[in-house]
Amino acid sequence: MKSFEFRRIMDATARRAAFEACEPKIWWERNLFSTLVIVDPSIAIDILRSTDFALPDLRALVREMRRRQPNSFIHLQPALELLPIFLENQDHTRIRKILGQYLSSKHHEIEQRLPNVICGLLDSIPQSGEINLVTQLLTPLIGDVFSKLVDRDLSEEVMGLRLGKMFEVKHTMASLSKLDVMLERVCQFLGTDPSSDEDEFICQLNCLVFGVENVISTLAENLFLAFQLSGGTAPAQLPPYPVEVMISTTHRSAISPTEIAGHRVKPSDIIRIHLEPFGYSNDRAINSALFGAGRHACIGKQLTLTIWKHLTEQFNSRKFAGVVTEFESDRSHSFHVTKTLKIVCPDKADRVITT
């Protein structure tokens, strides 16, 4: 099975079965690039934690394109210097530290608000008719959280930006130009030039780039899975820990020639690590790495899990039951964004839940 075929499986339970049945768990795919695909968490986690492997250097790509076209990417290039996932060494450590401190300073206030915000949103959902979980639950919930994180109400435009495309492993001039425009919108919203080195701007930029779309999609994917597993008659129940996240794969390259599970790997090779199997494991230590591991692990993991905890408690207590009738997700090699999830409750055929 080719790795791209996994992203075509929209059915969450079928995708899990495909990963579990997949043999071998590590193989080469050779097209334009030589790619070593890994779906074995026990192999992948060591790579994620190792300093012998690096993320694709998007900064170098943008610098080269700007060398050819000096007036291009005037927002993207300086922004990349402020996003720790694209940095290494001292720059990476410095920005991760200030971002960690910023998130910690906001965490208590946000957690204090969550029970009432979630309760209010769930109370407002009607008991019959069509229900849109994006507009009536997920978007206002995450909008409230991130408004507190960036100290201003999020605009509809900012909430709708597709900043997750920054996680793509392959970029073109057109895709990078779109990212540049999106980052211009973010900087305008924050009222700061992208070259700013102010700690507050750096933290707020990171929150918007890696947070809003990511958390909404993670919650939506897990709601879809919960309704699937319920069978349509039993209440859908979110598990104690997320099974799906928006970032489905992550990519690395070897800093120097090395060997992985008997495979010789060169620095020019791409290493594609599928993260979905981390969520399917019964080992909590493996589950935890669903958010990454090592120096580039998700720094917003704790806040995401806090949102998850409070949403799970209240959602599960409401005992929603329904049958999935339509699911649409924009999936790439690196991430997926849920567009539509329709649920019809078996006892009320006119009731539809849509995300």
Side-chain angles (χ1 to χ4, degrees):
M1 186 173 189
K2 296 290 187 180
S3 61
F4 72 85
E5 294 180 71
F6 288 113
R7 66 187 171 117
R8 292 179 176 176
I9 306 174
M10 296 298 184
D11 185 298
T13 54
R15 187 166 59 251
R16 177 173 185 164
F19 275 110
E20 291 176 344
C22 182
E23 291 293 344
K25 301 294 186 185
I26 177 170
W27 68 91
W28 284 103
E29 293 182 358
R30 303 184 189 277
N31 295 309
L32 183 60
F33 301 96
S34 291
T35 303
L36 185 64
V37 181
I38 302 174
V39 300
D40 185 338
S42 63
I43 297 174
I45 199 166
D46 289 337
I47 297 172
L48 295 176
R49 289 172 174 165
S50 175
T51 57
D52 295 330
F53 302 90
L55 283 151
D57 194 348
L58 183 56
R59 292 188 303 158
L61 174 62
V62 170
R63 283 196 298 267
E64 174 60 22
M65 288 188 171
R66 285 208 71 185
R67 186 184 66 79
R68 300 176 188 176
Q69 299 186 25
N71 295 323
S72 62
F73 311 127
I74 59 175
H75 299 92
L76 177 59
Q77 184 180 29
L80 290 175
E81 302 299 324
L82 305 177
L83 304 175
I85 196 169
F86 300 113
L87 303 175
E88 296 289 350
N89 303 322
Q90 293 181 346
D91 290 336
H92 171 267
T93 302
R94 179 181 70 85
I95 292 183
R96 251 189 103 88
K97 181 179 179 181
I98 63 172
L99 182 54
Q101 292 171 339
Y102 185 85
L103 291 174
S104 294
S105 72
K106 299 284 189 177
H107 193 278
H108 178 72
E109 178 190 3
I110 290 171
E111 183 166 23
Q112 292 295 106
R113 291 177 55 83
L114 279 172
N116 287 336
V117 172
I118 294 171
C119 181
L121 290 169
L122 290 173
D123 284 346
S124 69
I125 294 177
Q127 295 302 305
S128 62
E130 185 175 86
I131 302 169
N132 189 321
L133 287 180
V134 164
T135 59
Q136 294 175 249
L137 177 62
L138 299 183
T139 297
L141 170 58
I142 302 310
D144 184 87
V145 169
F146 281 85
S147 291
K148 296 303 176 186
L149 281 176
V150 301
D151 298 320
R152 66 203 76 195
D153 293 336
L154 293 192
S155 66
E156 184 175 343
E157 179 187 29
V158 170
M159 290 285 289
L161 293 176
R162 297 295 307 280
L163 292 164
K165 290 186 176 294
M166 201 170 289
F167 291 106
E168 291 283 20
V169 67
K170 300 174 185 177
H171 287 283
T172 64
M173 179 68 78
S175 68
L176 291 175
S177 296
K178 290 179 180 178
L179 280 173
D180 188 68
V181 172
M182 285 188 275
L183 285 165
E184 179 182 15
R185 301 288 186 268
V186 170
C187 292
Q188 290 173 345
F189 173 72
L190 295 175
T192 311
D193 185 271
S195 62
S196 172
D197 61 355
E198 295 180 3
D199 287 358
E200 184 177 80
F201 168 71
I202 292 172
C203 294
Q204 292 176 348
L205 175 67
N206 274 274
C207 288
L208 294 179
V209 168
F210 297 120
V212 176
E213 185 179 46
N214 199 334
V215 180
I216 289 176
S217 295
T218 293
L219 297 176
E221 289 283 336
N222 282 278
L223 283 167
F224 169 52
L225 180 58
F227 279 106
Q228 279 194 309
L229 294 176
S230 72
T233 54
Q237 297 287 284
L238 289 169
Y241 201 86
V243 176
E244 305 270 355
V245 292
M246 188 189 90
I247 307 301
S248 56
T249 62
T250 185
H251 297 82
R252 297 291 188 274
S253 61
I255 294 175
S256 59
T258 189
E259 184 174 301
I260 300 174
H263 296 269
R264 296 296 300 171
V265 180
K266 304 186 299 295
S268 58
D269 297 326
I270 295 174
I271 303 167
R272 176 176 298 136
I273 297 172
H274 281 266
L275 296 175
E276 292 103 321
F278 286 85
Y280 306 147
S281 173
N282 293 321
D283 185 334
R284 179 48 63 89
I286 295 293
N287 293 156
S288 182
L290 183 62
F291 290 88
R295 65 195 186 283
H296 288 298
C298 176
I299 199 167
K301 172 184 174 182
Q302 190 56 51
L303 179 59
T304 301
L305 291 178
T306 296
I307 298 169
W308 175 268
K309 171 179 176 290
H310 289 285
L311 178 62
T312 297
E313 289 175 353
Q314 296 202 43
F315 176 83
N316 288 354
S317 70
R318 305 298 175 110
K319 300 187 183 303
F320 286 99
V323 176
V324 177
T325 58
E326 183 180 348
F327 176 71
E328 182 184 1
S329 177
D330 180 8
R331 308 185 81 85
S332 74
H333 266 315
S334 300
F335 66 94
H336 44 76
V337 178
T338 305
K339 291 183 174 181
T340 303
L341 171 60
K342 293 183 179 180
I343 309 295
V344 173
C345 297
D347 57 337
K348 293 182 180 179
D350 63 337
R351 184 176 180 186
V352 179
I353 301 177
T354 308
T355 71

